[in-house]
Amino acid sequence: MSGVPSGSGGAVRGRVRVVRGWSRPRGGGRRSNTAPRPLRGASRTPWLYLAPALVVLGGLLVYPVYQLGLISFLEYTQAQVSGGEPTTFQGFGNYAELFGDAEFWQVLVATVVFAAACVVSTLAVGCALAVLLTRVRALPRLVLMLAALGAWATPAVTGSTVWLLLFDPDFGPVNRMLGLGDHSWTYGRYSAFALVLLEVVWCSFPFVMVTVYAGIRAVPGEVLEAAALDGASQWRIWRSVLAPMLRPILVVVTIQSVIWDFKVFTQIYVMTGGGGIAGQNLVLNVYAYQKAFASSQYSLGSAIGVVMLLILLAVTLVYLRLLRRQGEEL
């Protein structure tokens, strides 16, 4: 009925025994599918190598952040610093005073808009020049790399001073080339922010350019060649091929640009004379400096620093969470 010869049952059972025999070791025990356990103490080895760096970071980062948060909950002015009055615990009183100040919210909005413009401009310039580096010959590539690294290595104070001289209303060459006469770029609010934005992009794009260029060079040439043969333009190759493959690198440079540009201090302070006319060009870092050192309200300055820290942590965590939801590996 089943189509199997009657005399073949023993042979079939013998084969089954043979096959089953392969699934067991000779000792009669079952083969274990669990992975071998790591050696005792092997999981601690990476932490032993990282311990010196963690100690340094703890001294340079954790302790100052702790002191910043502690002072933000105290009444800490020049009277307490000099010892004339005792230090008292205020709880969230400093934060309530800060959030009740309309000037704080104006500075916060200006900081967010300015930082966003700087990040977008830096990424655009850096990515465009990174693609350009892959299209030019060796000598122009070397010249562009050296020029970019020179801008990156320039101290912020020096770069800000040079840009002020370039756009000086009396002796600056930019006004002469554009025929603007004695136009002052730092007098108006938006022109001053635009001038600082140019300087921030100038000193920040080399990091993005070099990092993205290294990522592009790691992309297989066959992928780009296939896209070009399919008729894709340079913009389409970047948007549909390079950008998805470089997403982990773009995440890193974006987060670092957000952190750097959100806490800009030197460029604003030097180029606008401490925040511009009547504080029209204030950002949170300069605002905190004025509260802490110009007004001797160290507790309010510390509270602004804590708010900045929390905003940056929130932006970073939300950005990473969105990328993980999309299934991206970082």
Side-chain angles (χ1 to χ4, degrees):
M1 296 293 293
S2 61
V4 179
S6 59
S8 61
V12 172
R13 285 192 293 270
R15 291 174 185 173
V16 171
R17 292 193 190 98
V18 172
V19 173
R20 289 177 179 175
W22 283 103
S23 64
R24 296 182 181 178
R26 286 190 174 182
R30 294 185 178 181
R31 179 175 294 178
S32 177
N33 294 327
T34 59
R37 294 182 179 180
L39 297 177
R40 182 175 297 178
S43 60
R44 302 176 183 176
T45 303
W47 292 104
L48 293 177
Y49 285 108
L50 292 174
L54 292 177
V55 171
V56 174
L57 288 177
L60 297 179
L61 182 63
V62 177
Y63 182 73
V65 170
Y66 164 74
Q67 287 292 333
L68 184 72
L70 178 62
I71 295 176
S72 68
F73 290 105
L74 304 176
E75 183 182 358
Y76 201 70
T77 62
Q78 188 62 38
Q80 283 76 27
V81 173
S82 61
E85 295 181 7
T87 302
T88 58
F89 182 74
Q90 296 292 318
F92 291 96
N94 293 320
Y95 293 95
E97 180 180 353
L98 185 65
F99 295 151
D101 188 1
E103 185 181 13
F104 167 75
W105 295 106
Q106 296 175 1
V107 174
L108 177 61
V109 172
T111 304
V112 171
V113 174
F114 176 74
C118 289
V119 171
V120 173
S121 302
T122 302
L123 292 177
V125 174
C127 293
L129 292 178
V131 175
L132 178 63
L133 288 176
T134 63
R135 299 287 185 266
V136 298
R137 297 181 180 273
L139 183 59
R141 184 188 307 124
L142 178 62
V143 172
L144 181 57
M145 291 281 285
L146 292 177
L149 292 178
W152 192 18
T154 303
V157 175
T158 305
S160 302
T161 305
V162 170
W163 276 78
L164 277 180
L165 292 176
L166 292 175
F167 288 85
D168 187 83
D170 298 322
F171 308 103
V174 175
N175 283 2
R176 295 183 181 181
M177 293 175 58
L178 299 178
L180 297 178
D182 58 351
H183 173 71
S184 176
W185 293 84
T186 58
Y187 182 79
R189 182 187 186 190
Y190 298 107
S191 60
F193 269 129
L195 182 59
V196 177
L197 183 144
L198 291 176
E199 201 279 335
V200 171
V201 173
W202 174 77
C203 67
S204 302
F205 84 86
F207 171 75
V208 179
M209 183 190 72
V210 173
T211 306
V212 175
Y213 173 71
I216 294 176
R217 300 299 296 179
V219 175
E222 296 81 3
V223 176
L224 303 179
E225 185 177 354
L229 291 176
D230 289 339
S233 61
Q234 295 296 328
W235 167 248
R236 185 60 184 274
I237 291 176
W238 167 259
R239 184 171 62 89
S240 302
V241 179
L242 286 177
M245 299 182 72
L246 298 176
R247 192 180 295 265
I249 295 177
L250 294 177
V251 169
V252 174
V253 297
T254 300
I255 293 176
Q256 291 193 350
S257 297
V258 169
I259 295 173
W260 290 343
D261 296 339
F262 191 82
K263 61 184 185 65
V264 165
F265 173 81
T266 305
Q267 291 87 345
I268 289 287
Y269 192 83
V270 173
M271 301 181 70
T272 64
I277 300 174
Q280 64 181 0
N281 296 113
L282 281 176
V283 293
L284 280 180
N285 233 351
V286 180
Y287 185 60
Y289 177 84
Q290 288 189 354
K291 286 293 184 181
F293 297 102
S295 302
S296 298
Q297 296 177 333
Y298 303 106
S299 53
L300 284 179
S302 299
I304 297 172
V306 172
V307 171
M308 291 179 60
L309 177 62
L310 295 178
I311 291 175
L312 290 176
L313 285 177
V315 170
T316 304
L317 292 177
V318 169
Y319 194 36
L320 293 178
R321 186 177 181 86
L322 290 176
L323 290 175
R324 287 191 176 184
R325 284 184 178 179
Q326 296 174 1
E328 296 292 340
E329 294 291 337
L330 298 179

